[in-house]
């Protein structure tokens, strides 16, 4: 792979930011990878692990002279990160991010910059684990995974190609959609399941017999609840930043659950089996690989 960038800045060198940096190094895409995080220890660790080349202790210094800036902090910190870039970022710099909700990134940029920069192309890699921090990062995280690129109405064609080609260069398949459409789709496929998993485990933990419940938890329980071990702060921020779409999905789910509840209460085996059959067929058809 040929070098695509002289300098790339990663704001937030955790699981996702760290994995991007490692993948860029693996594919030799960049001469100089600069990192920033709130805690100096975290970026020092990232340098010691060879994930980034160096770090700066302010966002402004970190983005200075960068060809590409990638924001990879929890969603609640986006607006503050954009604010700290004012005056330090060149109009030619391409800015992207990895946030799990997209309309709120566009709104944060509008609030801070007034008008959206043509160099801003939000994106969301559909890849991750329930672990956090730079130690959990690895260079193949995005290989054969999808990244959704969500250009704004004013993103420039050249910035869209830079961001799309960058993701392809680290192994991802790139799909494009509007930020609003992304938020609806992801609310249903990712945000709702996380809310349900957190809520189920929370409910069980309040039951009197909870130690017995967890002791006898079998494979199905593990499969269903693995994602409840994800980072609570990150998921709080996702709920706060994709409120409307998550509430829409949650309402649809509550209505369906109510139907199932009624069928169980009425000993209505036909309806129960119909719902389970539909779910099994949908999963067997659409979810490939277990
Ligand atoms: P992470 O491992 O916890 O890393 C977050 C990074 O941001 C750390 O370097 C952290 O270091 C820094 N940070 C945290 N709060 C900050 C603040 N207020 N100001 C500045 N820096 C801050 O998180 P992650 O899993 O990589 O997630 C990062 C982003 O990726 C999130 O927006 C998330 O929605 C998105 N995402 C995550 C996944 C996933 O599965 N994990 C998948 C796709 C997208 P300090 O604490 O020292 O500042």
């Amino acid at each position: 792979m040929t070098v695509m960038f002289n300098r790339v800045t990663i704001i937030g060198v955790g699981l996702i930011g760290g994995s991007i940096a490692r993948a860029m190094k693996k594919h030799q895409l960049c001469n100089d990878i600069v990192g920033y995080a709130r805690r100096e220890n975290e970026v020092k660790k990232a340098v010691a692990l060879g994930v980034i080349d160096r770090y700066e202790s302010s966002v402004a210094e970190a983005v200075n002279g960068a060809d590409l800036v990638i924001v990879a902090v929890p969603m609640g910190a986006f607006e503050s990160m954009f604010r700290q870039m004012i005056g330090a970022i060149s109009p030619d710099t391409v800015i992207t991010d990895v946030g799990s909700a997209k309309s709120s990134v566009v709104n944060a940029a509008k609030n801070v910059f007034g008008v959206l920069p043509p160099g801003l192309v939000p994106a969301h890699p559909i890849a991750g684990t329930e672990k956090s921090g730079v130690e959990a990062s690895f260079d193949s995280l995005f290989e054969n995974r999808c990244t959704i690129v969500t250009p704004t109405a004013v993103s420039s064609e050249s910035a869209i190609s830079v961001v799309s080609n960058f993701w392809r260069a680290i192994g991802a398949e790139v799909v494009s959609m509007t930020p609003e459409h992304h938020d609806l789709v992801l609310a249903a496929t990712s945000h709702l399941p996380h809310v349900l998993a957190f809520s189920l485990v929370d409910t069980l933990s309040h039951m009197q017999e909870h130690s017995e419940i967890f002791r006898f938890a079998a494979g199905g329980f593990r499969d269903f609840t693995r994602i409840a071990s994800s980072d609570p702060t990150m998921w709080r921020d996702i709920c706060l930043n994709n409120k409307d779409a998550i509430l829409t999905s949650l309402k649809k789910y509550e209505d369906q659950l109510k139907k199932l509840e009624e069928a169980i209460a009425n000993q209505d085996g036909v309806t129960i089996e119909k719902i389970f059959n539909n779910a099994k067929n949908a999963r067997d058809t659409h979810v490939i690989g277990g």
Side-chain angles (χ1 to χ4, degrees), residues 12-17 36-39 42 72-75 77-78 81 98-100 124-125 127-129 131-133 231 234 238:
V13 193
L15 169 71
I16 301 294
Y36 168 82
R38 273 175 318 183
R39 289 170 296 168
E42 288 300 295
V73 296
M75 299 233 56
F78 268 66
M81 297 301 108
V98 298
S100 306
H124 176 203
T129 72
K131 302 209 170 71
S132 300
D231 180 31
M234 181 178 118
I238 292 170

Side-chain angles (χ1 to χ4, degrees), residues 38-244:
R38 273 175 318 183
R39 289 170 296 168
E40 197 176 2
N41 267 352
E42 288 300 295
V43 266
K44 269 193 175 155
K45 204 188 305 164
V47 173
L49 289 168
V51 173
I52 53 175
D53 296 313
R54 59 195 181 83
Y55 71 90
E56 294 287 355
S57 38
S58 77
V59 174
E61 283 166 302
V63 300
N64 187 20
D67 306 313
L68 175 70
V69 171
I70 303 169
V71 182
V73 296
M75 299 233 56
F78 268 66
E79 197 160 318
S80 156
M81 297 301 108
F82 286 149
R83 208 168 290 287
Q84 292 173 57
M85 290 177 199
I86 293 175
I89 201 147
S90 133
D92 298 330
T93 304
V94 174
I95 310 170
T96 190
D97 75 292
V98 298
S100 306
K102 303 283 32 133
S103 303
S104 70
V105 173
V106 178
N107 291 336
K110 263 189 211 149
N111 289 345
V112 171
F113 299 117
V115 282
L116 287 171
L120 174 68
V121 184
H124 176 203
I126 312 300
T129 72
E130 63 282 9
K131 302 209 170 71
S132 300
V134 69
E135 300 94 331
S137 64
F138 55 100
D139 63 17
S140 59
L141 178 60
F142 310 106
E143 283 171 17
N144 304 314
R145 307 303 293 269
C146 182
T147 291
I148 303 180
V149 172
T150 64
T152 71
V154 299
S155 298
S156 72
E157 285 306 321
S158 61
I160 297 170
S161 335
V162 167
V163 171
S164 303
N165 289 338
F166 161 72
W167 281 107
R168 288 189 192 103
I170 59 172
E173 181 200 343
V174 171
V175 173
S176 178
M177 58 179 81
T178 63
E180 298 75 23
H181 189 62
H182 165 281
D183 288 355
L184 283 176
V185 174
L186 269 289
T189 59
S190 169
H191 307 170
L192 178 65
H194 277 82
V195 168
L196 298 185
F198 279 122
S199 170
L200 174 70
V201 180
D202 178 54
T203 305
L204 298 185
S205 75
H206 292 301
M207 290 183 178
Q208 232 167 14
E209 326 69 38
H210 71 268
S211 51
E212 207 175 19
I213 289 171
F214 289 120
R215 186 171 162 215
F216 295 118
F221 180 84
R222 276 184 181 277
D223 288 350
F224 190 83
T225 61
R226 178 183 57 79
I227 53 180
S229 290
S230 303
D231 180 31
T233 311
M234 181 178 118
W235 281 96
R236 174 204 65 194
D237 282 4
I238 292 170
C239 288
L240 296 176
N241 281 275
N242 198 19
K243 175 182 131 188
D244 293 342

